[in-house]
Amino acid sequence: MPDPRVAEALEVLERTPGALRGMLGGLSDPWLCCDEGPETYSPADVVGHLVYGEETDWIPRLRIILEQGEARPFTPFDRLGFRAAHGSKSVGELLELFARLRDENLHVLVALDLDAARLALTGRHPALGRVTLAQLLAAWVVHDLGHLRQVARVMARRYRDAVGPWREYLPVLDDRP
Amino acid sequence: MPDPRVAEALEVLERTPGALRGMLGGLSDPWLCCDEGPETYSPADVVGHLVYGEETDWIPRLRIILEQGEARPFTPFDRLGFRAAHGSKSVGELLELFARLRDENLHVLVALDLDAARLALTGRHPALGRVTLAQLLAAWVVHDLGHLRQVARVMARRYRDAVGPWREYLPVLDDRP
């Protein structure tokens, strides 16, 4: 019988493609391509990064834990790998691809039928050391939410000056909570 | 002829109801009702607050600027007014109400056909002093995005401990950008 933590995580994981489509689908390039300076992600980059995570990060690591435990450390994740893999795709294409890959990966997750004992299995992160499958699942959820937060922040920053005196009341413009 | 700033703001304003529905529609109460402590908003509270803003804040202030300029300061906005007005509604009802009110308000905004001269008109904020209509419009956009960011952050915080060593890599958990 699956652990209730799986269903709780699924609630968020299955909503992220729709949330991103709601925020970004059909937006013009000035919104999609704005960023916070060199080496930072634009909203478009975030979608590419999430696609690449579906392909190379979450489920592959989950399988490593289940099949090889701590014997084989995870492959390090390439934060910019999406540029070579998906740099030529439009944001609309990336949103669709993300939705499809996420759906496939959640079917894999559900089929694994993870109970408490399996969630306690451990793997080895190349930098962070020993981690449990439950922690990997929670990190997947938080990673999604962190990037939704980033998209909102990056877009808001475009109007940092445009709001005039309201800036004081809009903490997103200055990284206040 | 309307100023291009109106169309640019509209792109975000018209997407917020769908983005929120994508994030929150059908979620269970532990996700909808989590918050960051006393006097903080849960995701459910954010939707109520946004509904109340549609009813009492953005368009009413816009009309005050157009009709009365600085002669009449804006009515102060009640950050908790939504509790009395909408506290008995479900999140599903609030999401639908927000979508309907936002749609109506954006029709009002478009019909006003705001050009650069009207965007430069000024009003008086009860605390912030003189503001322009363009600044009000930009603040409306940033306010939406700030609350989307807040919803993502509040939800992510539920898993601050659950992610174990990944916390270091997940800045949303500690209010880092």
Side-chain angles (χ1 to χ4, degrees), chain A residues 5 7-9 11-12 15-16 18-19 21-31 36 58 61 65 74 125 127-132 134-139 141-143 145-146 148-149 151-153 155-177, chain B residues 5 7-9 11-12 15-16 18-19 21-31 36 58 61 65 74 125 127-132 134-139 141-143 145-146 148-149 151-153 155-177:
Chain A
R5 283 172 287 178
E8 188 176 278
E11 285 191 54
V12 177
R15 280 171 175 76
T16 306
R21 199 184 299 115
M23 287 181 85
L24 303 179
L27 269 188
S28 65
D29 281 348
W31 286 117
E36 299 173 293
W58 306 104
R61 289 182 172 192
I65 293 180
F74 305 148
H125 187 285
L128 300 172
R130 177 181 293 169
V131 292
T132 67
Q135 288 166 345
L136 176 67
L137 185 62
V141 170
V142 173
H143 182 266
L145 294 167
L148 290 174
R149 164 182 173 261
V151 166
R153 181 187 70 228
M155 290 174 62
R157 291 276 180 96
R158 282 192 77 208
Y159 281 1
R160 187 186 256 178
D161 296 326
V163 301
W166 262 292
R167 179 165 168 179
E168 179 184 341
Y169 284 6
L170 296 165
V172 63
L173 297 176
D174 293 284
D175 279 324
R176 288 178 283 123
Chain B
R5 284 171 288 179
E8 189 177 274
E11 285 191 54
V12 177
R15 280 170 174 76
T16 305
R21 198 185 299 117
M23 287 182 85
L24 302 179
L27 269 188
S28 65
D29 281 350
W31 285 116
E36 298 174 294
W58 305 103
R61 288 181 172 192
I65 293 180
F74 305 148
H125 187 285
L128 300 172
R130 177 181 294 169
V131 291
T132 67
Q135 289 166 345
L136 176 67
L137 184 62
V141 170
V142 173
H143 182 265
L145 293 168
L148 289 174
R149 166 181 172 261
V151 166
R153 182 186 69 228
M155 291 173 64
R157 290 277 179 95
R158 283 192 75 207
Y159 281 1
R160 188 187 256 180
D161 296 327
V163 301
W166 261 291
R167 179 163 168 182
E168 179 184 338
Y169 285 6
L170 296 165
V172 62
L173 297 176
D174 293 284
D175 278 324
R176 288 178 285 123

Side-chain angles (χ1 to χ4, degrees), chain B:
Chain B
M1 187 169 157
D3 189 276
R5 284 171 288 179
V6 177
E8 189 177 274
L10 271 172
E11 285 191 54
V12 177
L13 293 172
E14 69 189 10
R15 280 170 174 76
T16 305
L20 271 177
R21 198 185 299 117
M23 287 182 85
L24 302 179
L27 269 188
S28 65
D29 281 350
W31 285 116
L32 290 172
C33 299
C34 60
D35 61 32
E36 298 174 294
E39 311 289 310
T40 66
Y41 282 174
S42 67
D45 289 336
V46 167
V47 189
H49 167 76
L50 288 170
V51 165
Y52 202 62
E54 294 304 301
E55 294 173 322
T56 70
D57 190 339
W58 305 103
I59 289 289
R61 288 181 172 192
L62 200 143
R63 288 195 197 279
I64 289 173
I65 293 180
L66 288 171
E67 293 163 14
Q68 301 176 70
E70 296 182 44
R72 182 188 149 193
F74 305 148
T75 308
F77 180 68
D78 181 353
R79 288 188 66 255
L80 295 174
F82 70 91
R83 292 203 204 278
H86 301 294
S88 65
K89 295 187 177 67
S90 72
V91 172
E93 289 170 328
L94 289 171
L95 286 167
E96 288 315 304
L97 182 55
F98 177 55
R100 185 169 61 74
L101 294 171
R102 172 59 59 93
D103 185 59
E104 290 171 8
N105 283 335
L106 296 185
H107 275 87
V108 172
L109 176 65
V110 169
L112 288 170
D113 208 30
L114 299 170
D115 58 13
R118 299 185 101 189
L119 286 179
L121 293 173
T122 54
R124 185 158 298 278
H125 187 285
L128 300 172
R130 177 181 294 169
V131 291
T132 67
L133 213 160
Q135 289 166 345
L136 176 67
L137 184 62
W140 193 2
V141 170
V142 173
H143 182 265
D144 273 17
L145 293 168
H147 282 296
L148 289 174
R149 166 181 172 261
Q150 179 182 34
V151 166
R153 182 186 69 228
V154 172
M155 291 173 64
R157 290 277 179 95
R158 283 192 75 207
Y159 281 1
R160 188 187 256 180
D161 296 327
V163 301
W166 261 291
R167 179 163 168 182
E168 179 184 338
Y169 285 6
L170 296 165
V172 62
L173 297 176
D174 293 284
D175 278 324
R176 288 178 285 123

